[in-house]
Amino acid sequence: MASDMRLEEQVAHLTKAVDEMSEVVARQDAEIAVLTRRVEMLMSREAEREIDGSSGSIPLADQKPPHW
């Protein structure tokens, strides 16, 4: 009997832990999706800037800061 009770407690704790981890994974999946879209947007913007600024000048991101 005590053994059954102990097993039920362990199963309850494991079930709670799995549920909590599942929530964390779902939240991280949503965050990764948002970050992926942001990176894609930034990459697209940068590609457009390189095409628009292909007049022979160095892109602003590649220029050394004035204090160098």
Side-chain angles (χ1 to χ4, degrees):
M1 279 236 176
S3 175
D4 290 342
M5 189 178 223
R6 191 174 56 92
L7 287 175
E8 286 180 25
E9 281 181 23
Q10 287 180 337
V11 168
H13 287 295
L14 290 172
T15 300
K16 182 180 176 191
V18 167
D19 289 343
E20 289 172 355
M21 284 191 266
S22 181
E23 289 174 15
V24 168
V25 169
R27 190 171 52 249
Q28 288 176 339
D29 182 57
E31 285 181 45
I32 289 169
V34 168
L35 293 172
T36 299
R37 283 193 301 272
R38 287 181 181 173
V39 167
E40 288 171 352
M41 179 194 66
L42 291 171
M43 297 284 285
S44 175
R45 264 194 213 169
E46 184 60 26
E48 287 176 16
R49 278 185 22 190
E50 286 181 11
I51 290 170
D52 292 342
S54 61
S55 61
S57 64
I58 299 172
L60 184 60
D62 295 336
Q63 292 179 8
K64 290 185 179 179
H67 61 277
W68 279 22

